[in-house]
Amino acid sequence: MKEEEKYLQTVENVIQKNLEIWEKEREEVKRLNTELLSERADNFYSLETTDSAFYLSKINETDATIDTLTKRIDAFVKLKARPYFARIDFKEENCELPEKYYIGLHHIALDDVSYVYDWRAPISELYYNYNEGNAYYNSLNGKVNGEITLKRQYNIQNGKLNYYINTKETINDEILQQVLSQHASPKMRQIVSTIQKEQNAIIREENFRTILVQGVAGSGKTSIALHRAGYLLYNHRNDFSSSDVLILSPSNLFSDYVSDVLPELGEDNVIEMTFSYIARSELKRQIQPREDLMDEIYSEKNQTKLNEIAYKSSFDYLKDLLTFLNETFAGIYDPKDMLFKPNDAKEDSYNAFYFSKEEIKKLYFESFANLPISKRINYMAEILIERFGLSKKETDAIFPRFRNMLYKFFPVDDIFKICEIFFSRQGLKIPDFSKIPYEDTATLLLIKEFIFGLNRKFDTKYVIIDEMQDFTPVHFYLFNQIWDCPKIILGDINQCIEKSLSKKYLFELSRFLKAKLIVLNKTYRSTKQISLFSQKLIGLKGVINMNREGEAPTITKTTNTVNEILKIINDNKNKFEHTAIVCKTTAEVNQLAKLLKNQIQFKIIVGTDYSFDYPLVLTTAATSKGIEFDHVIIPYADKCNYYSELDKNMLYVATTRALHKLDIIYEGEKSRFLKKV
């Protein structure tokens, strides 16, 4: 222990020396920055253009250096509390003695001597992938074989070494148990010290292609995605930066929940976006929130609506939509002879240019026939404008006008009318598009992208898509059109709450995406008792549960739901930091809120603009999907409220939000699904 405490002190001293060096350097750069600003201001009116540009360049350079040093200092200040979490002793082949490698959140070095290695460094792979014995890692110079002679984990808090454990097992031990038993946090935490072998394989996947991850509830899918982004940004920093990574979030709530992870890993400026944001910016109309669709489905129980949603969520629907666009709509293009005079150009000496309908038809129906309409029209416009002999600036000026003229040969150019035509052909109900139904948003966007192209270019080099079960094949086709880059797509088909998804769909989706399919069947979130309960609820088999013991879930019959909720909360007072009452619909939330008002403090969370950082929240399963709570209470679990297959999925999602305690309440007769558990 003394030897380890001494090493910890050494590392803390190294951190402090680094901080002193960087703080001194930052002050020096700040001084230079101030001087440059002052000199530029004093001589502003007398500076030549080249001199002014020089000052501006130097000021920007010093600003960037200050920013870099500040981030480095902030990261190392945080490292003081916990500089590392593990150590491996590795003896390379043909070496007599092993080397000690300490592993932490960041690389800690001084005077070219490494004291702690970054968890993303090649050597650190040994810690996640192997127990004691033969092992290897892939260095920049090739494969390095050897033997792990020691594998050790540390519990360090506030710069103090509490204890360490020598482990011959994969990281499924006391420290992981301790981490899992902690109270839920309103923010997701980085998991570098407890990454499991199967999770590590995804994070460090070197084949830079699309990965599709199907993971049971609590398998760490979202954490894996964020840590993969951190790993790629560290190991491919010459290829792209954090601003080249996009996280496509289900909601703003989700964005708030995960917002701290990448900054803790030393990465920021990652772009976060919701699908609804993209849709609103492109379609310029109000869009039904997903939560409202869930309420509509679960309140009205309209079978026709459910059947339409199931169809719109299928690959058959995508095929029918693409056939309609590629063949039916594309085929009604009817060009006429066209006369065009580029009078927007600087000179007005151009003669009018004549284009015959035969020439336009040949370009559209033959030369570019295999392309989406938007690309056909763009290429046609470029080729036809070439004969004007204009400069690039003049070409850019007339291109939109010329393109619009080519679009005039379609009998209809309104995406909402086009969608109505398609729905009518398929026998689907035509909605009022003044407020776009959530389930039709992707269809309208695909129509716009295919025919006209999107207004905005969403440039990025790597995309993270979470909650894949909430998206449809139309979404994924659209995502591939928008982002032609590798992706990691994660979700759980068992947590789909507006339709039923099968393993067949999963395999079909992986083929469609040309993705490597990885299945995670080990859950870490809930206690063993809660996990087994949730799995039995839907008949889920083959799941490996973390052996963390806890209370068995309770199913309580009551004559007064409000009184029972108050009793449960009072009985568990001060035991948990975050408790959630998880309802089926927003209407149920509002009804219960009125009954609980003035009796207990709580926060209603059913929208997309709040965080869950409250001791007691009242929410829906749909809203809280992906979030975890210490204690979950599910009211109104009677046979009338939870009776359909979709109700069963909703109940499953609600139960899997609980980390440590789960209480279910019903009046009258309990749901048939609860009779099985």
Side-chain angles (χ1 to χ4, degrees):
M1 189 75 167
K2 286 186 178 180
E3 182 185 345
E4 288 290 6
E5 288 175 340
K6 185 178 178 182
Y7 191 81
L8 177 59
Q9 186 60 56
T10 299
V11 173
E12 289 175 346
N13 291 339
V14 169
I15 291 173
Q16 186 58 40
K17 286 178 183 176
N18 274 305
L19 287 172
E20 290 169 3
I21 291 168
W22 295 332
E23 284 167 354
K24 184 178 179 181
E25 185 180 346
R26 182 173 63 175
E27 289 307 310
E28 188 62 30
V29 178
K30 280 183 177 179
R31 185 189 60 75
L32 176 59
N33 182 269
T34 302
E35 287 179 3
L36 289 167
L37 286 168
S38 179
E39 286 178 20
R40 183 169 179 262
D42 291 344
N43 301 289
F44 186 80
Y45 293 105
S46 61
L47 287 174
E48 297 288 338
T49 303
T50 52
D51 293 332
S52 181
F54 168 79
Y55 273 106
L56 195 57
S57 173
K58 284 296 182 183
I59 290 166
N60 289 338
E61 188 180 308
T62 52
D63 281 339
T65 303
I66 292 167
D67 185 53
T68 299
L69 287 167
T70 299
K71 288 176 182 176
R72 198 179 295 168
I73 289 166
D74 290 345
F76 267 54
V77 167
K78 290 179 182 178
L79 280 181
K80 279 184 170 184
R82 194 184 180 213
Y84 51 86
F85 53 81
R87 164 187 157 188
I88 50 169
D89 292 2
F90 183 66
K91 184 167 74 72
E92 292 186 21
E93 276 184 343
N94 304 320
C95 290
E96 292 184 9
L97 296 173
E99 288 282 340
K100 297 176 185 177
Y101 298 95
Y102 287 80
I103 300 167
L105 204 56
H106 296 287
H107 185 224
I108 301 172
L110 187 66
D111 298 330
D112 295 325
V113 177
S114 294
Y115 292 86
V116 177
Y117 288 84
D118 192 293
W119 69 277
R120 296 164 288 192
I123 187 71
S124 301
E125 189 171 359
L126 293 169
Y127 167 70
Y128 297 109
N129 283 353
Y130 296 100
N131 303 320
E132 289 184 13
N134 293 334
Y136 76 89
Y137 70 97
N138 294 302
S139 75
L140 297 176
N141 298 319
K143 186 176 179 181
V144 179
N145 292 297
E147 177 189 2
I148 295 176
T149 60
L150 177 72
K151 186 172 179 181
R152 180 171 287 178
Q153 293 175 276
Y154 300 90
N155 181 286
I156 300 173
Q157 292 178 329
N158 299 320
K160 181 179 181 297
L161 176 60
N162 295 320
Y163 62 87
Y164 62 81
I165 298 171
N166 290 341
T167 175
K168 296 182 180 180
E169 301 298 324
T170 306
I171 315 160
N172 184 10
D173 54 30
E174 186 178 333
I175 288 183
L176 178 54
Q177 292 273 10
Q178 185 189 53
V179 169
L180 292 171
S181 65
Q182 291 173 359
H183 288 300
S185 167
K187 297 282 188 180
M188 180 176 283
R189 293 169 292 198
Q190 50 87 0
I191 59 165
V192 292
S193 62
T194 58
I195 291 170
Q196 303 294 288
K197 186 173 181 178
E198 69 274 12
Q199 297 172 330
N200 185 57
I202 301 171
I203 292 169
R204 293 176 186 263
E205 168 73 49
E206 277 303 325
N207 193 335
F208 202 54
R209 61 170 176 171
T210 295
I211 301 172
L212 176 64
V213 180
Q214 156 61 31
V216 295
S219 56
K221 299 179 293 294
T222 304
S223 290
I224 291 168
L226 298 177
H227 285 72
R228 173 152 179 79
Y231 174 80
L232 291 173
L233 288 168
Y234 178 85
N235 284 277
H236 297 270
R237 47 191 175 275
N238 293 328
D239 300 322
F240 62 99
S241 65
S242 55
S243 59
D244 294 318
V245 176
L246 169 71
I247 301 174
L248 189 66
S249 307
S251 68
N252 294 332
L253 275 172
F254 179 85
S255 298
D256 182 70
Y257 180 57
V258 304
S259 60
D260 282 353
V261 176
L262 282 170
E264 277 194 32
L265 298 177
E267 307 295 347
D268 55 8
N269 298 324
V270 170
I271 300 167
E272 292 185 61
M273 198 177 291
T274 64
F275 177 72
S276 293
Y277 168 80
I278 296 173
R280 283 195 303 272
S281 66
E282 291 291 334
L283 300 176
K284 309 297 184 187
R285 292 193 185 182
Q286 189 178 0
I287 295 168
Q288 178 191 31
R290 177 175 166 76
E291 289 80 7
D292 289 0
L293 172 63
M294 294 300 104
D295 286 342
E296 185 182 339
I297 290 172
Y298 281 89
S299 300
E300 298 179 9
K301 288 293 193 300
N302 184 324
Q303 192 57 47
T304 302
K305 175 90 170 179
L306 290 173
N307 292 341
E308 286 199 354
I309 288 175
Y311 171 51
K312 291 175 181 178
S313 302
S314 69
F315 279 97
D316 287 339
Y317 176 80
L318 173 62
K319 181 181 177 183
D320 292 341
L321 177 57
L322 291 176
T323 299
F324 168 77
L325 293 172
N326 274 308
E327 298 176 10
T328 307
F329 186 81
I332 62 174
Y333 192 66
D334 187 23
K336 305 290 189 293
D337 293 340
M338 190 168 76
L339 202 64
F340 185 86
K341 182 179 180 181
N343 53 13
D344 289 345
K346 288 182 178 178
E347 301 176 27
D348 44 64
S349 59
Y350 295 103
N351 294 321
F353 287 86
Y354 171 78
F355 306 96
S356 70
K357 67 178 182 180
E358 287 77 16
E359 180 182 13
I360 299 170
K361 269 188 176 183
K362 186 173 181 180
L363 287 172
Y364 181 87
F365 287 107
E366 295 180 25
S367 302
F368 304 120
N370 294 324
L371 296 175
I373 291 170
S374 61
K375 290 184 178 178
R376 289 194 216 188
I377 298 296
N378 284 346
Y379 287 148
M380 288 166 62
E382 288 174 7
I383 284 178
L384 295 175
I385 289 174
E386 276 181 6
R387 71 183 62 175
F388 298 162
L390 302 176
S391 67
K392 184 180 183 306
K393 185 176 181 181
E394 291 170 325
T395 298
D396 291 343
I398 67 168
F399 183 84
R401 178 174 153 224
F402 195 88
R403 187 172 173 269
N404 288 338
M405 290 183 70
L406 290 172
Y407 270 112
K408 296 293 184 185
F409 301 131
F410 283 107
V412 58
D413 61 359
D414 180 274
I415 60 171
F416 298 99
K417 293 291 184 186
I418 295 167
C419 189
E420 287 177 9
I421 294 168
F422 172 66
F423 280 2
S424 179
R425 290 172 62 90
Q426 301 305 119
L428 298 171
K429 181 182 177 181
I430 298 174
D432 176 9
F433 284 126
S434 59
K435 181 178 182 180
I436 301 170
Y438 181 86
E439 70 271 23
D440 296 327
T441 308
T443 297
L444 288 163
L445 267 182
L446 192 152
I447 290 171
K448 182 179 181 184
E449 194 279 333
F450 189 94
I451 298 175
F452 302 103
L454 300 182
N455 297 332
R456 177 176 168 182
K457 298 297 181 186
F458 298 92
D459 293 330
T460 191
K461 294 181 180 178
Y462 195 77
V463 179
I464 298 169
I465 302 173
D466 205 15
E467 302 288 3
M468 61 92 170
Q469 71 276 3
D470 293 351
F471 298 117
T472 69
V474 173
H475 285 97
F476 288 114
Y477 177 89
L478 189 63
F479 296 158
N480 279 345
Q481 298 304 114
I482 298 174
W483 301 296
D484 184 19
C485 65
K487 307 171 185 68
I488 183 166
I489 302 165
L490 312 97
D492 180 12
I493 57 174
N494 301 302
Q495 295 186 60
C496 189
I497 54 179
E498 74 270 25
K499 55 188 179 290
S500 294
L501 296 178
S502 65
K503 289 182 180 178
K504 180 184 175 183
Y505 170 82
L506 196 62
F507 291 123
E508 199 171 357
L509 181 60
S510 66
R511 286 196 298 271
F512 174 75
L513 295 168
K514 297 185 175 75
K516 178 179 181 178
L517 175 61
I518 298 174
V519 177
L520 298 175
N521 62 356
K522 190 171 184 179
T523 179
Y524 302 94
R525 175 187 291 142
S526 307
T527 61
K528 186 176 181 179
Q529 286 75 12
I530 294 173
S531 293
L532 288 171
F533 180 92
S534 302
Q535 292 149 24
K536 196 172 181 182
L537 192 67
I538 61 169
L540 185 60
K541 298 179 180 179
V543 178
I544 301 169
N545 296 290
M546 182 68 187
N547 195 25
R548 182 166 64 86
E549 298 295 330
E551 293 183 47
T554 66
I555 304 174
T556 305
K557 182 175 181 177
T558 183
T559 56
N560 189 309
T561 297
V562 171
N563 287 345
E564 189 61 34
I565 289 173
L566 293 172
K567 180 180 181 298
I568 290 171
I569 290 173
N570 188 59
D571 290 346
N572 292 278
K573 195 173 183 180
N574 300 324
K575 287 184 182 179
F576 305 110
E577 291 184 18
H578 295 95
T579 296
I581 302 171
V582 182
C583 297
K584 183 179 167 185
T585 63
T586 302
E588 193 175 288
V589 167
N590 293 332
Q591 173 193 339
L592 189 55
K594 288 179 182 178
L595 297 173
L596 288 171
K597 189 178 179 182
N598 301 325
Q599 300 193 65
I600 194 169
Q601 284 191 326
F602 58 88
K603 184 72 177 179
I604 296 175
I605 308 289
V606 290
T608 57
D609 299 317
Y610 304 98
S611 78
F612 282 102
D613 193 10
Y614 300 95
L616 178 64
V617 299
L618 191 52
T619 186
T620 65
T623 301
S624 63
K625 192 141 57 77
I627 315 297
E628 57 191 32
F629 306 94
D630 296 315
H631 181 197
V632 167
I633 301 169
I634 303 173
Y636 306 118
D638 58 79
K639 70 171 185 177
C640 295
N641 202 24
Y642 289 95
Y643 68 89
S644 71
E645 288 301 302
L646 286 182
D647 292 333
K648 180 174 69 173
N649 290 358
M650 184 73 88
L651 193 57
Y652 172 73
V653 170
T655 61
T656 56
R657 300 309 95 207
L659 276 175
H660 307 298
K661 185 168 174 57
L662 173 63
D663 289 300
I664 301 174
I665 306 167
Y666 71 96
E667 295 181 22
E669 187 176 339
K670 66 183 173 184
S671 166
R672 63 190 177 97
F673 306 119
L674 296 176
K675 294 177 181 179
K676 300 176 183 178
V677 294

